[in-house]
């Protein structure tokens, strides 16, 4: 990571005439903020921690700026009147300790340029742009390898034009040293050498490349005319580009996809890569192993992933895990249990549905009786019924089913990574989940954590499905580190980041955070006078089904739209003739935000006379 920057700011700015006689050029303001200060802000936002400013003319302005920004260290070039940018860079050199960004002080630029250089895998890179028609262009030439091979203000002296010098460069201390050595050797004749000429002189030996962003938005400001142009044309464009990257925070209180962190959102911006490259295969392999490790021992369990939503993972599991002549018993106590049964029916499996209340706990004795009476091979159940927030006691049901020799398949989509779980202890052979609920990634990857020896049993079963065949997807990945069909590449990078963040927070602490949010909600419902569908002791803490108030004034749509104005998205929930609305607290949601939401809810309920 690049942590340092040097801004060369010793110059007189004489082309501005009177205006810069008493202040450095960098302090000319664009939209109320000095150019150099805005540059400092962009550097800090890009992760730079130390900014060395080489000063000269009116240096006290910079010293004052340094008081405001502790990251700034100023170094004065006492000979600024007789030297140029290289002279100023030279006085900064002793303070540079690692790879750094070098910038001129009079730039107005899109922060994207900083990220492009920081992310470029090469160590020494000069940023160039397409034609600016600024009348003060510095043209850059490159050789066949892309290395800087010429710098000139005269276009006719350039043979292979790479672009125009922007004034932002990434360099290593070694390249800086080579530039300083070159300068020292030539100082006698050429004291006023600019840094770009020194860079050019050492580019070949140190490997300084040119990176061109054809439509890069930037300008240097040397005179009044350039300033006017910057204000009219360049600055609005930069503002627009940068505002596209400022993602407004929305708090999703719907049951997935859930609220994600900005770092997960940004992880999706990655180089295009063919998913058949080994490099990407390794990303998927690590992701799969980490997903397994969150709930089981990777020696005994393995995660099989598909590009799909959570229902896709359910479909893979239900359509793959019932033996050809098998029989599945599915517990249906909500929409998701019902969905499992629908899938089994579509695949023409032998299915029996065990119906149970949507808000009261399952009668385990009755379920055991059913298991004992039938010739079932497989049990299917939902861990957490998202329809109502009812948490099913799989820790009792699955071991019981295993006692009768059944294979257990569990829709754990809205439980996985939200609460600590150990599949082996729970007696779960297959558990489905998705990238976009408690793991806090983006939608697009459905996966099934499988007990390996159970999965291997499927090897010679006739295929009932194609895309969603669990064993085939597993075996192909094992052999090739590839999925059989195109995976959602960017979603994988986001999921990798989401896993890192889950491990940092830990699932235990995540559950505590959810519970803290849930407690805030439950307390406020009580104060408002709203009732929950499920008794608190049977609830997951992940989603709460709330009975709608008994007044014709109530409208879900109005409540939804009102909450949305404050950045909260809520979810309806109708169960037969029971009318509820649902508040989920899955994802990157903080207790303060839930507190804030409860105020919004209270205000709405107050407006319709409920409280
Ligand atoms: C969210 C969810 C699913 C999957 O829903 P998709 O819209 O397909 O992602 C499946 N089961 C349960 C219990 C869920 O909560």
């Amino acid at each position: 990571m690049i942590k340092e920057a040097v801004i060369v700011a010793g110059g007189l700015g004489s082309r501005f005439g009177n205006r810069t006689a008493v202040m450095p050029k960098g302090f000319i303001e664009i939209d109320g903020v000095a150019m150099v200060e805005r540059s400092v802000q962009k550097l800090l936002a890009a992760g730079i921690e130390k900014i060395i400013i080489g000063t000269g003319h009116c240096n006290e302005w910079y010293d004052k700026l340094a008081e405001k920004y502790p990251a700034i260290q100023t170094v004065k070039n006492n000979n600024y009147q007789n030297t140029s940018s290289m002279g100023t860079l030279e006085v900064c050199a002793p303070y540079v300790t690692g790879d750094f960004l070098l910038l001129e002080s009079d730039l107005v630029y899109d922060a994207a340029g900083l990220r492009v250089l920081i992310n470029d895998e090469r160590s020494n890179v000069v940023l160039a742009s397409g034609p600016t028609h600024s009348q003060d262009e510095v043209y850059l030439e490159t050789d066949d390898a892309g290395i800087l091979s010429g710098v000139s203000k005269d276009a006719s002296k350039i043979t292979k034009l790479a672009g125009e010098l922007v004034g932002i460069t990434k360099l290593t201390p070694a390249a800086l040293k080579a530039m300083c050595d070159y300068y020292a050797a030539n100082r006698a004749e050429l004291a006023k050498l600019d840094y770009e000429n020194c860079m050019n002189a050492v580019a070949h030996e140190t490997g300084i490349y040119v990176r061109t962003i054809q439509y890069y938005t930037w300008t240097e400001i040397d005179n009044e005319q350039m300033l006017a142009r910057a204000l009219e044309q360049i600055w609005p464009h930069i503002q627009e580009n940068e505002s596209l990257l400022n993602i407004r925070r929305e708090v999703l209180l719907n049951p997935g996809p859930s609220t994600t962190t900005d770092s997960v959102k940004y992880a999706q911006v990655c180089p295009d890569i063919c998913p058949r490259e080994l490099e990407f295969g390794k990303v998927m392999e690590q992701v799969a192993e980490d997903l397994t490790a969150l709930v089981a021992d990777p020696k005994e369990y393995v995660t099989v992933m598909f590009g799909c939503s959570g229902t896709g993972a359910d479909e893979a599991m239900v359509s793959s895990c019932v033996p050809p002549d098998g029989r599945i018993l599915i517990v249906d106590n909500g929409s998701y249990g019902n969905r499992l049964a629908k899938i089994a029916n579509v695949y023409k499996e032998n299915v029996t549905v065990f119906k149970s209340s949507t808000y009261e706990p399952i009668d385990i004795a009755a379920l055991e009786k059913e298991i004992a009476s039938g010739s079932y091979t497989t049990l299917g159940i939902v861990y957490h019924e998202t329809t109502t927030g009812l948490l099913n006691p799989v820790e009792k049901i699955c071991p019981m089913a295993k006692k009768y020799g059944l294979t257990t398949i569990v829709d754990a989509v809205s439980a996985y990574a939200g609460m600590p779980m150990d599949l082996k202890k729970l007696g779960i052979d297959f558990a489905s989940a998705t990238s976009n609920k408690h793991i806090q990634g983006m939608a697009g990857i459905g996966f099934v954590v499988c007990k390996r020896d159970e999965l291997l049993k499927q090897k010679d079963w006739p295929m009932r499905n194609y895309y969603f065949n669990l064993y085939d997807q597993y075996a192909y990945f094992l052999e090739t580190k590839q999925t059989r069909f195109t995976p959602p590449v960017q979603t994988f990078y986001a999921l990798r980041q989401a896993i890192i963040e889950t491990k940092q927070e830990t699932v235990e602490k995540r559950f505590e955070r959810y519970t803290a949010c849930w407690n805030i909600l439950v307390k406020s419902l009580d104060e408002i006078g709203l009732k929950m569908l499920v008794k608190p002791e049977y609830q997951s803490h992940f989603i709460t089904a709330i009975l709608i108030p008994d007044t014709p004034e109530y409208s879900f749509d109005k409540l939804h739209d009102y909450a949305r104005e404050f950045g909260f998205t809520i979810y309806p929930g109708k169960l037969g003739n029971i009318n509820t609305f649902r508040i989920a607290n899955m994802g990157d949601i903080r207790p303060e935000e839930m507190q804030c939401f409860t105020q919004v809810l209270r205000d709405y309920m107050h407006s319709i006379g409920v409280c």
Side-chain angles (χ1 to χ4, degrees), residues 255 309-312 314 336 339 382 384 386 411 413-414 434 436-437:
S309 82
T311 305
D314 283 340
Y336 293 99
R339 188 178 292 177
V382 174
H384 165 225
T386 323
D411 170 342
V413 178
S414 64
T434 165
N436 67 264
K437 287 193 181 173

